[in-house]
Amino acid sequence: MTSYTGRFAPSPTGPLHLGSLVAALGSYLDAKAHSGQWLLRIEDIDPPREITGAKDLILRQLEDHGLCWDGAAIYQSQRLDIYREYFDQLKHNNQLFACDCPRHRIRDLRGIYDGFCRNRHLDFDSDAAIRVRLAEGDIGWNDLILGKQSISSSDLGGDFIVRRRDRLFSYQLAVALDDGLEGITHVIRGADLLDSTARQIYLHQLLGLVSPGYGHLPMVINNQGQKLSKQTHAPALDSDKSGENLALSLDILGLNPPEDISQSSCEEILAWGISHWNINSVPTNPVESSN
């Protein structure tokens, strides 16, 4: 049994782009450099945002870049009974409450929820979102890349949602449970998820689950300073340029690969990356893409 288990967990809201590949590659290299497992989880619990065919496309893109995961891919849509069980546990322990505050009220509060519905005792079956009671104070961890981190409950926006009005479980609850229950020991992902890490650590504490070690990779940004994402129209990975994509990702991760490495096979590039992986060389600031 391996002592290291990492994972990559994309949402099927579109094809992978360069920022996605950097996150996948960073988590893959850290796992393989530690002779660990690298799992693939498809976070498909938000059907309104999913793009038809994206699940299969993501799998093909990873395979085209030589990023082969261990075991069968995991789909969150097949784990709803697990999320419901632990949601009920939180409810039983009085750690949840229903909230019918409209979005404009939260916007007027500048995104920081003020606990208005905490003691209103609204019915969980009403037209309401379900929030977790977030204790005041700081949530901290020693990040494998960024060092000591501490985020206050107010900076997290207060009590956060674990089940939406449409009865879909939140990203925070599903990911916290999957990482805790699947024995994930290390989560290497983008720095845009720092706030999510704090929320997920808090849920682990409430549910008695062990948090993995976290390392946050630099965000990849465009020439306008925007994070590469589907919202900023980041181009999909071109699998015909898999070697170039991997070489650029290695460079973004601070590994300084040889200039001609893009001419090698994906397997050779990944082998070079594993043997030269050094998490201490990963940049801590956003990196602008040259694409």
Side-chain angles (χ1 to χ4, degrees), residues 173-188:
L173 180 63
V175 172
L177 285 172
D178 288 340
D179 287 341
L181 296 174
E182 291 172 14
I184 302 298
T185 61
H186 295 73
V187 172
I188 308 298

Side-chain angles (χ1 to χ4, degrees), residues 7 9-11 41 43-46 49 76 83 160-164 168-179 187 189-190 192-197 199-200 203 214 216:
R7 51 75 160 176
S11 299
R41 178 197 307 149
E43 298 187 338
D44 57 343
I45 56 167
D46 194 354
R49 294 183 62 237
Q76 286 188 331
Y83 307 149
F160 57 91
I161 292 173
V162 292
R163 195 185 74 186
R164 302 180 345 192
L168 294 176
F169 291 112
S170 75
Y171 164 83
Q172 306 297 352
L173 180 63
V175 172
L177 285 172
D178 288 340
D179 287 341
V187 172
R189 59 186 181 186
D192 55 311
L193 293 170
L194 280 167
D195 286 357
S196 290
T197 293
R199 294 185 181 99
Q200 290 158 23
L203 288 171
Y214 291 96
H216 289 84

Side-chain angles (χ1 to χ4, degrees), residues 5 54 57 59 68 91 99 114 158 166 202 216-217 233-234 238-239 246 254-255 260 279:
T5 303
L57 175 57
L59 268 59
C68 299
K91 179 182 176 183
C99 171
D114 60 356
D166 56 11
Y202 185 73
H216 289 84
L217 303 167
H233 309 293
D238 182 352
S239 290
L246 287 172
L255 297 186
D260 61 350
I279 200 168

Side-chain angles (χ1 to χ4, degrees), residues 76-244:
Q76 286 188 331
S77 58
Q78 299 173 4
R79 297 172 60 79
L80 299 182
D81 287 345
I82 296 173
Y83 307 149
R84 193 171 296 110
E85 175 187 349
Y86 282 87
F87 174 88
D88 289 343
Q89 178 181 325
L90 290 171
K91 179 182 176 183
H92 177 76
N93 292 336
N94 195 34
Q95 290 160 333
L96 305 178
F97 64 94
C99 171
D100 63 1
C101 290
R103 289 185 178 179
H104 69 78
R105 182 177 187 277
I106 308 302
R107 284 197 300 268
D108 290 344
L109 294 168
R110 297 184 179 180
I112 301 176
Y113 181 69
D114 60 356
F116 178 76
C117 294
R118 270 191 170 204
N119 299 310
R120 293 180 65 205
H121 306 294
L122 299 174
D123 192 328
F124 274 53
D125 292 325
S126 63
D127 179 24
I130 309 300
R131 295 180 180 270
V132 65
R133 299 177 188 273
L134 181 60
E136 291 187 8
D138 297 340
I139 300 170
W141 70 97
N142 188 26
D143 197 89
L144 298 169
I145 296 170
L146 301 177
K148 188 175 182 180
Q149 299 294 302
S150 182
I151 302 179
S152 69
S153 55
S154 59
D155 285 341
L156 291 176
D159 305 322
F160 57 91
I161 292 173
V162 292
R163 195 185 74 186
R164 302 180 345 192
R165 286 177 183 264
D166 56 11
R167 303 303 176 93
L168 294 176
F169 291 112
S170 75
Y171 164 83
Q172 306 297 352
L173 180 63
V175 172
L177 285 172
D178 288 340
D179 287 341
L181 296 174
E182 291 172 14
I184 302 298
T185 61
H186 295 73
V187 172
I188 308 298
R189 59 186 181 186
D192 55 311
L193 293 170
L194 280 167
D195 286 357
S196 290
T197 293
R199 294 185 181 99
Q200 290 158 23
I201 289 173
Y202 185 73
L203 288 171
H204 290 152
Q205 293 170 349
L206 290 183
L207 292 165
L209 299 172
V210 177
S211 295
Y214 291 96
H216 289 84
L217 303 167
M219 284 189 289
V220 184
I221 58 176
N222 60 23
N223 57 15
Q224 296 176 297
Q226 300 169 317
K227 173 197 164 190
L228 291 190
S229 68
K230 301 168 186 76
Q231 290 72 34
T232 57
H233 309 293
L237 285 177
D238 182 352
S239 290
D240 290 335
K241 298 180 179 179
S242 56
E244 295 174 37

